[in-house]
Amino acid sequence: MLTIKNLHSSIDDKEILKGLDLEIKAGEVHAIMGPNGAGKSTLSYVLAGREDYEVTDGSIELDGEDVLELDPEERAAMGLFLAFQYPVEIPGVQMTTFLKTAVNEIRKQKGEAELDALGFLKLMKQKCTELGIDQDMMKRPVNVGFSGGEKKRNEVLQMAMLDPKMCVLDETDSGLDIDALKIVADGVNKLRSENRSFLIITHYQRLLDYIKPDVVHVLANGKIQKTGGPELAQELEEKGYAEFERAA
Amino acid sequence: MAQADRKDNVEPFVFPVKSPYKPENADIVLNGYADFLTQDPASSWVETLRQQGKARVEEFGIPSPKLERWKYTNLFPIEKERFKVQLPAILNPSIPDKLDGIESRLTIVNGIFQPQLSDMPEGLYCGSLKSFIESNDDWLRPYLESQDERVRQFDDQMLMDLNAAYMSDGIVIHVPKNVHIENTIEILSVLAGPVSSHPAILIVVEDGASLTLCERVIGDFGWQNRVNRVHVGSNARLNIFRTQTLSDKAYFTENTVVVQGRDSYLQMLTMTTGAALSRNQYHAFLKGENGECHIDGTYTITDKQHHDTTILIEHMEPHCYSNQTHKGLLAKNARGVFQGKIHVHQKAQKTDGYQLNNTILLSDTAEMDTKPELEIYADDVKCSHGATTGQLDDGPLFYMRSRGIPESVARKIMMQSFLGEVVDKIVDENMKSYCEQILDTWLDNVDKS
Ligand SMILES: Nc1ncnc2c1ncn2[C@@H]1O[C@H](COP(=O)(O)OP(=O)(O)O)[C@@H](O)[C@H]1O
Ligand SMILES: [Mg+2]
């Protein structure tokens, strides 16, 4: 599904990713854990195509297609989705308008028929119910005045609506209490399928109690330092990241 | 002792002050004035107003950027065109259909009322200024004669003087006491041909009456320099929604003088996409307690267009509320100016004044000058003002794109939502959708080329 080779990326001429390799197969759930400042969000932004992150070397392929050539919207239409660590507020743009535009623009790019108002509302209602999201939230401007938990649930809602094949979740667990965490994890688990892969970025092992990963990586100093099974997460929880930060 | 030594007969040297006025420019705008007078003689009191206006134009010329309130707007492009007033207007321009839902429309072409292009509304007095002057002297005269004292205090009112010099026609709308006009009335103002016009629009909503007006200013060429006089009586209510979509070869300057009574409500919202150069100047007097005044606008301009909004709101009595919300998008080499001032007189306690000017520059070469001002002489007031000029925010743009929304669509959504704060204030649904349509077209074209 996703193949990253020797990825180097910098911002403001400061190199953050220094040769990162990652291979995620269809249906797999991978977790990336790492200390603050390791470059986790940088990786997620580079994947989504944020322009201020310069890729100086390496490649990213999604199902064999060169992702780095594509605009963010084209990546989204291919089925790449990033749940932001810090979801962005868009004053004056209603959630419903935003979501409907997104759903239909992706359908257009894929050559599918657009959803009409009724079809869209039905889909939205269903997904909101599944994620325990109050419909009233959809009348508010995107992320404006949302609580931390609402913002994160909103990211998962968007993910469910857009039906991507490669989902990247950047610290979707941070700032959530245990109930909200369960709802979010539950939403993600429902989306798990053999055609859909996940990259779950987190600082803490906690989320991985609810979303069981197949593979766990440690990212520090811009590189994958270690790869293992779910037990690696437990190990990190106990020992911390000191060993890896020293290693680099 | 030292003082005694001073030579009193030597005058201290004073640098010569360069006059900010350009009387030499009077000739340009008064070119053909004698012909105008012969073609369009007026009754004695109108004649007096004309002569007073003309005299002041001859003394001061037309405003130059050396005047404080004209620092950012240079009328030279208009001077260069050497426009003349042309009477009578033998013109039959093609005009658009009435706006949806509108039954009555008053049409002026080059400032001259066109009965054959108008559908007169009922329940109020209205029609051409000229016919009112001819038949209705006594009622009308004070409104046109009284240059409000404080308007006069400004030494840069030459465009108003010029308008008076050419006083001839325009529109009068007079809603009698306690009359509520349910149906929105449209004013259509057409500029046709490379000439100048100086209409006066007089709107009087008497005590307890109400009215909603929509106006469109359209046309390809020429210069309109108009004066709007707006009187809103006690407990009266007036909404005016306007669009100015002139071609970029036309010019538009106007002075609006607003007088509001006790418990009155006025909203005047203007959407500007047109004209090579435009200046909308407002001077509002809140003369009764508890009056409410909204003067709002959007300006979306491109290429070499120039737009200026200059506002002075005077709170003269306690408990009044005023709101100025002005938002604009400037593309290419467009230039915007906003000068908004709230003046709170000593007596006007509990004033609530609000002023906001936000501009988004869509290119590196667009330019905005914004000057919000407060002048407060009362001690118990709530006034706020804010001005920002910036670019479209990258964060939301990227967020939308990451959700599959193409850049051009995302930009349009952001620009629409930016202007939405003003557009949403249009309570007339038909006019609102007309305005949205105009903005939609503008936004679709601005990102191209
Ligand atoms: N916009 C930016 N400008 C400059 N430095 C940045 C910017 N964003 C992130 N960084 C730096 O890049 C490094 C990695 O950041 P980030 O990818 O956010 O780490 P993580 O998500 O793992 O905590 C940090 O040292 C951070 O200070
Ligand atoms: Mg991060």
Side-chain angles (χ1 to χ4, degrees):
Chain A
M1 171 83 58
L2 182 71
T3 310
I4 302 175
K5 283 187 185 149
N6 190 33
L7 185 66
H8 289 256
S9 173
S10 29
I11 182 155
D12 295 339
D13 292 328
K14 179 176 153 201
E15 186 162 67
I16 310 291
L17 299 180
K18 304 165 182 168
L20 185 141
D21 295 281
L22 189 66
E23 165 94 43
I24 302 177
K25 296 206 170 61
E28 287 182 349
V29 175
H30 286 227
I32 285 189
M33 301 182 69
N36 281 328
K40 303 187 295 297
S41 291
T42 303
L43 172 63
S44 72
Y45 285 139
V46 170
L47 282 169
R50 194 169 180 140
E51 269 152 10
D52 30 4
Y53 291 84
E54 196 192 347
V55 174
T56 50
D57 202 3
S59 66
I60 303 176
E61 285 184 2
L62 185 61
D63 281 340
E65 263 200 74
D66 181 1
V67 166
L68 291 174
E69 287 292 299
L70 303 176
D71 286 335
E73 54 267 35
E74 294 171 320
R75 298 181 194 196
M78 268 185 80
L80 183 77
F81 182 92
L82 167 64
F84 283 54
Q85 180 176 2
Y86 304 108
V88 181
E89 297 184 2
I90 318 180
V93 180
Q94 203 195 38
M95 267 309 299
T96 309
T97 315
F98 166 74
L99 263 182
K100 184 160 184 256
T101 313
V103 167
N104 280 333
E105 288 295 341
I106 286 187
R107 292 177 81 98
K108 260 199 253 176
Q109 291 184 66
K110 288 205 247 177
E112 293 170 8
E114 291 181 44
L115 287 185
D116 61 13
L118 213 66
F120 170 79
L121 286 177
K122 224 173 112 184
L123 180 69
M124 190 175 77
K125 207 167 164 184
Q126 180 204 333
K127 300 293 180 192
C128 279
T129 314
E130 281 175 20
L131 287 163
I133 289 175
D134 189 349
Q135 294 270 322
D136 283 347
M137 204 165 105
M138 297 298 107
K139 292 184 190 128
R140 285 156 58 186
V142 179
N143 289 320
V144 178
F146 286 24
S147 70
E150 284 176 327
K151 281 184 181 167
K152 295 305 172 86
R153 258 186 283 171
N154 185 21
E155 293 295 289
V156 180
L157 171 74
Q158 291 171 42
M159 188 165 83
M161 296 283 296
L162 298 179
D163 196 26
K165 62 184 177 191
M166 179 71 235
C167 308
V168 182
L169 285 78
D170 189 1
E171 300 214 21
T172 302
D173 51 334
S174 63
L176 293 188
D177 61 28
I178 198 74
D179 292 328
L181 186 75
K182 278 183 189 159
I183 294 173
V184 163
D186 207 35
V188 172
N189 286 327
K190 273 193 198 132
L191 291 171
R192 283 179 83 153
S193 83
E194 55 189 25
N195 306 319
R196 197 188 318 262
S197 310
F198 290 85
L199 178 60
I200 307 217
I201 295 172
T202 180
H203 186 77
Y204 303 105
Q205 176 258 350
R206 195 176 65 149
L207 178 67
L208 305 180
D209 289 341
Y210 299 95
I211 307 172
K212 284 270 170 277
D214 301 303
V215 184
V216 175
H217 310 271
V218 182
L219 173 63
N221 289 306
K223 266 184 167 172
I224 300 292
Q225 305 283 352
K226 190 172 182 181
T227 297
E231 73 289 346
L232 179 55
Q234 197 56 51
E235 200 182 300
L236 287 167
E237 183 75 2
E238 283 153 24
K239 292 200 209 154
Y241 298 106
E243 173 194 345
F244 303 102
E245 287 182 287
R246 248 180 286 121
Chain B
M1 282 290 284
Q3 272 184 359
D5 294 339
R6 215 181 69 197
K7 291 179 183 161
D8 281 333
N9 57 345
V10 177
E11 297 218 344
F13 179 76
V14 180
F15 281 98
V17 181
K18 237 182 147 190
S19 164
Y21 301 107
K22 293 198 294 181
E24 64 273 20
N25 285 339
D27 284 352
I28 296 168
V29 287
L30 294 174
N31 184 15
Y33 193 71
D35 294 342
F36 164 76
L37 287 183
T38 335
Q39 281 176 33
D40 190 15
S43 64
S44 64
W45 65 270
V46 172
E47 184 56 30
T48 310
L49 290 180
R50 285 180 178 179
Q51 289 309 328
Q52 285 168 354
K54 178 176 174 259
R56 286 182 61 97
V57 173
E58 281 170 336
E59 187 178 352
F60 297 109
I62 59 173
S64 84
K66 293 212 175 79
L67 290 162
E68 199 196 326
R69 292 200 302 169
W70 287 89
K71 194 171 158 192
Y72 306 112
T73 295
N74 191 337
L75 295 173
F76 183 66
I78 300 180
E79 293 168 30
K80 231 171 46 182
E81 299 271 1
R82 298 277 193 279
F83 291 122
K84 273 203 230 171
V85 169
Q86 200 180 66
L87 290 168
I90 358 149
L91 292 157
N92 245 331
S94 63
I95 60 164
D97 289 342
K98 282 188 286 231
L99 287 169
D100 283 345
I102 298 268
E103 283 167 20
S104 321
R105 172 159 78 183
L106 307 171
T107 301
I108 51 174
V109 176
N110 291 346
I112 301 187
F113 188 73
Q114 309 290 320
Q116 81 288 2
L117 300 176
S118 301
D119 291 297
M120 304 307 282
E122 280 164 15
L124 70 167
Y125 304 105
C126 70
S128 97
L129 174 67
K130 206 179 185 80
S131 67
F132 269 77
I133 289 174
E134 278 159 13
S135 62
N136 232 343
D137 260 30
D138 292 343
W139 172 79
L140 190 72
R141 217 166 136 171
Y143 287 107
L144 295 181
E145 275 182 349
S146 75
Q147 287 285 16
D148 200 287
E149 297 262 310
R150 285 196 53 85
V151 174
R152 258 289 145 254
Q153 278 175 20
F154 290 99
D155 52 6
D156 59 358
Q157 295 295 356
M158 293 85 101
L159 289 183
M160 275 185 102
D161 295 321
L162 183 66
N163 178 280
Y166 283 103
M167 183 178 290
S168 172
D169 204 357
I171 287 175
V172 176
I173 296 176
H174 177 200
V175 189
K177 259 190 185 172
N178 297 324
V179 170
H180 299 282
I181 304 297
E182 299 292 338
N183 295 324
T184 302
I185 296 171
E186 183 185 348
I187 294 177
L188 182 67
S189 180
V190 187
L191 275 69
V195 299
S196 57
S197 55
H198 304 271
I201 312 286
L202 172 64
I203 300 161
V204 181
V205 183
E206 301 268 16
D207 295 353
S210 68
L211 174 70
T212 300
L213 287 175
C214 291
E215 178 177 4
R216 290 185 281 175
V217 181
I218 59 170
D220 294 333
F221 302 102
W223 171 31
Q224 181 155 104
N225 172 49
R226 68 145 90 162
V227 170
N228 305 313
R229 295 176 186 281
V230 178
H231 291 256
V232 191
S234 296
N235 256 307
R237 207 180 159 85
L238 174 62
N239 289 292
I240 307 178
F241 306 109
R242 313 191 298 163
T243 58
Q244 187 268 89
T245 57
L246 292 164
S247 92
D248 61 5
K249 289 180 186 63
Y251 302 86
F252 186 77
T253 53
E254 69 167 4
N255 273 281
T256 300
V257 180
V258 173
V259 179
Q260 286 188 239
R262 195 186 173 102
D263 296 310
S264 65
Y265 176 94
L266 170 75
Q267 181 190 20
M268 199 160 174
L269 188 150
T270 308
M271 221 178 80
T272 298
T273 65
L277 185 158
S278 58
R279 167 144 161 153
N280 296 15
Q281 182 166 322
Y282 306 83
H283 195 162
F285 298 89
L286 294 164
K287 286 190 174 173
E289 280 190 36
N290 204 33
E292 182 169 340
C293 174
H294 297 252
I295 296 178
D296 304 312
T298 65
Y299 42 98
T300 46
I301 52 174
T302 184
D303 292 319
K304 289 181 174 157
Q305 286 180 280
H306 178 110
H307 174 73
D308 176 336
T309 297
T310 293
I311 302 174
L312 173 57
I313 295 185
E314 305 215 32
H315 284 258
M316 308 175 83
E317 292 290 330
H319 292 285
C320 289
Y321 172 81
S322 72
N323 185 323
Q324 308 165 43
T325 305
H326 292 261
K327 291 192 157 196
L329 301 171
L330 305 180
K332 297 188 183 164
N333 296 310
R335 186 149 181 215
V337 179
F338 178 81
Q339 309 181 96
K341 184 167 174 177
I342 303 172
H343 180 126
V344 182
H345 292 241
Q346 198 173 0
K347 195 177 167 197
Q349 298 296 357
K350 304 283 180 193
T351 284
D352 192 351
Y354 178 84
Q355 189 189 77
L356 182 73
N357 176 232
N358 299 140
T359 307
I360 290 179
L361 305 176
L362 299 173
S363 81
D364 296 338
T365 44
E367 207 183 315
M368 181 71 198
D369 291 297
T370 179
K371 198 172 139 199
E373 276 182 284
L374 299 174
E375 198 174 324
I376 300 174
Y377 298 100
D379 48 28
D380 186 11
V381 302
K382 208 172 88 195
C383 281
S384 69
H385 62 150
T388 61
T389 302
Q391 269 92 38
L392 270 188
D393 203 349
D394 281 344
L397 217 48
F398 174 65
Y399 190 64
M400 283 194 267
R401 294 179 75 187
S402 79
R403 287 345 180 205
I405 302 175
E407 189 179 9
S408 61
V409 179
R411 285 173 66 86
K412 189 172 163 186
I413 290 175
M414 283 186 65
M415 293 190 274
Q416 269 167 338
S417 73
F418 170 74
L419 299 171
E421 188 182 348
V422 179
V423 176
D424 286 344
K425 293 180 89 170
I426 305 174
V427 291
D428 184 285
E429 285 305 319
N430 292 314
M431 188 62 175
K432 186 176 173 189
S433 62
Y434 175 73
C435 288
E436 282 171 340
Q437 234 175 287
I438 286 175
L439 284 180
D440 206 54
T441 311
W442 192 89
L443 293 172
D444 281 341
N445 291 325
V446 71
D447 265 351
K448 288 180 198 140
S449 79

